[in-house]
Amino acid sequence: MTGTTDTPTAGRARKRPADRRDRILAAAARNFASVGFHETRLNVIAEEAGVSAPALYRHFSGKYELFATALIDLAGRLTAAADAVPTGDDPRQEISAVLRALAVTALDNRESGNIYRREPRLLNDEDWRALSALSGTWRARLCTLLQRLRPDLSYGDGRLLVTAAASIIASPVTHRVALPRKTALAVLCGTAGAVLDLDLPAPAPSAGGEAGLVPLGRREAVLTESIRLFARHGFHEVTLEQIGAAAGLPPSGVYRHFQSKSAILAAALWRASERTTGAITEGLAQATTPHEALIALAGEYSALCVDDRAIMTVYLRDMNALDAADQRSLRRQQRRNVDEWATWLQHARPEVSSATARYLVHAALSVATDLTISYRDADADTVAVLVAAVLTGDP
């Protein structure tokens, strides 16, 4: 017979750490934000959380549930932060308090926040509705407060301004520029609040959906159709058969021009990078002063985003599908572009530090990409006004 009283733990169940689920969720959010859903490995999450793989499965049925829970949890944190701000009689004061609460939460979750910006398209319908309900709560509150503050503002312009302000607040999740927390909050909240005061231009006439002729060259047709498919469905969900069919080729015909689907993605993202770099040269050629340079840079980049939403969508969401060497090379070029913008910003605004200038440039770039991806009818002139306001600090 085995004794039951000869160990200190006899007669009671071993206690699991109370925060095990939270540690798993935090590790998952960091991994999903860093390398994307498809590249994330559950064994890596378990190791970072300090649990075994079986322990992870006791809390989550698989990668999708872990992903959806992490994303909705982050949305819930933002909503809870905004909900904690009391209502008041002064809409401007309340807006400022809500923006600050959101900015604090964004900075607190900087390592994991990019999951919220880049990966929601992977959610199923039920989880998408849950996420939308959470984010819609504080967005609707800001829109209502802005309408009280500016009763002549149209509903559409109000939504655009709130989206731009939210993009500024969330922009630190897209980069690793270091600023003291107090300074970062002042920069984010001050810039977002100023954007809400902007008067937007009358919308330009819509040019219509994705109309236009398809390139006749086979390689260019493959690349063009791949970008459209990647933007619509995501890199991992698109097959070579689909690409070939869209370009009027069998899969073997695709291989005559690209060695793999990854090679197509690399070509697409390098094209986006080259166009972004080219927009800098084109913008500066139009300017004679540093302030004019910021306006021109905003205009050229906004036009690029609006004119080719598909390639900018792919650049934002599918970079992590590239191999490590291509990612490093593209990010080096991206840093060079940011540094060029930041240098002109400092020339125009000498009181701004180098780190703050880069913070503002990243915020401006986030506004451009978020607006053009979220609003299919956002025109280049409107986006440019918002981007320029972030850079120049002008009302």
Side-chain angles (χ1 to χ4, degrees):
M1 181 183 293
T2 303
T4 58
T5 60
D6 52 358
T7 66
T9 58
R12 65 177 184 272
R14 191 164 136 192
K15 263 182 111 175
R16 295 176 186 161
D19 66 342
R20 175 181 284 179
R21 186 178 186 277
D22 291 340
R23 285 192 282 126
I24 294 171
L25 209 53
R30 287 194 300 272
N31 275 272
F32 288 131
S34 175
V35 300
F37 176 82
H38 292 91
E39 306 304 320
T40 293
R41 299 291 175 260
L42 291 182
N43 64 313
V44 174
I45 293 173
E47 184 177 349
E48 287 188 16
V51 303
S52 64
L56 186 151
Y57 280 106
R58 279 196 288 272
H59 295 280
F60 301 96
S61 62
K63 186 161 74 168
Y64 175 79
E65 184 187 1
L66 189 52
F67 161 74
T69 304
L71 184 50
I72 292 171
D73 176 73
L74 178 58
R77 293 184 190 190
L78 289 166
T79 301
D83 287 348
V85 176
T87 58
D89 296 329
D90 185 343
R92 185 175 294 280
Q93 187 176 13
E94 191 174 335
I95 286 172
S96 296
V98 171
L99 290 177
R100 182 177 177 82
L102 294 171
V104 167
T105 306
L107 290 175
D108 286 344
N109 295 274
R110 194 172 182 184
E111 290 186 349
S112 57
N114 217 21
I115 184 179
Y116 188 74
R117 185 168 180 263
R118 189 176 58 201
E119 300 283 14
R121 63 183 173 175
L122 299 174
L123 292 176
N124 62 33
D125 290 344
E126 181 180 356
D127 290 329
W128 173 257
R129 286 192 294 270
L131 180 74
S132 297
L134 286 168
S135 63
T137 300
W138 58 262
R139 287 177 182 274
R141 181 179 179 183
L142 285 173
C143 285
T144 300
L145 288 167
L146 188 58
Q147 195 68 51
R148 284 174 54 196
L149 187 65
R150 303 180 60 186
D152 294 333
L153 190 68
S154 72
Y155 173 75
D157 282 358
R159 287 181 66 224
L160 277 172
L161 292 173
V162 166
T163 299
S167 181
I168 292 163
I169 293 296
S171 61
V173 307
T174 68
H175 62 86
R176 290 295 172 261
V177 178
L179 272 183
R181 187 178 178 85
K182 184 177 179 180
T183 303
L185 287 171
V187 169
L188 294 172
C189 295
T191 306
V195 158
L196 293 177
D197 287 330
L198 286 176
D199 292 320
L200 298 179
S206 174
E210 294 182 354
L213 299 177
V214 175
L216 295 177
R218 293 300 192 185
R219 186 182 190 280
E220 190 63 23
V222 168
L223 188 56
T224 299
E225 295 301 336
S226 297
I227 291 169
R228 290 178 181 174
L229 288 167
F230 294 158
R232 189 174 297 125
H233 305 292
F235 171 79
H236 291 280
E237 307 305 317
V238 175
T239 66
L240 282 173
E241 287 76 13
Q242 290 171 315
I243 293 171
L249 293 170
S252 59
V254 176
Y255 281 119
R256 292 194 196 100
H257 303 284
F258 296 95
Q259 293 180 344
S260 64
K261 191 171 72 164
S262 293
I264 300 174
L265 178 64
L269 295 186
W270 273 112
R271 172 165 293 185
S273 179
E274 289 161 3
R275 288 180 178 176
T276 301
T277 303
I280 293 175
T281 302
E282 291 169 12
L284 294 177
Q286 304 168 28
T288 59
T289 68
H291 186 271
E292 288 180 0
L294 296 182
I295 302 296
L297 288 171
E300 288 296 323
Y301 187 71
S302 298
L304 172 63
C305 290
V306 169
D307 290 345
D308 206 340
R309 298 172 196 267
I311 201 168
M312 300 311 293
T313 301
V314 176
Y315 193 87
L316 173 67
R317 293 177 171 169
D318 287 315
M319 171 87 78
N320 288 325
L322 289 176
D323 64 44
D326 273 326
Q327 286 188 49
R328 286 193 297 271
S329 296
L330 278 165
R331 289 195 168 112
R332 276 196 299 272
Q333 185 57 46
Q334 183 185 51
R335 284 193 293 273
R336 293 188 193 105
N337 290 339
V338 168
D339 287 344
E340 181 72 22
W341 281 51
T343 300
W344 285 106
L345 192 151
Q346 283 190 280
H347 284 319
R349 302 169 64 183
E351 76 282 2
V352 173
S353 71
S354 175
T356 298
R358 296 203 303 280
Y359 234 77
L360 288 169
V361 169
H362 280 290
L365 296 175
S366 292
V367 167
T369 52
D370 287 349
L371 283 178
T372 51
I373 290 172
S374 299
Y375 294 93
R376 303 300 297 177
D377 57 349
D379 63 274
D381 289 343
T382 298
V383 176
V385 166
L386 290 159
V387 174
V390 175
L391 297 172
T392 64
D394 294 337

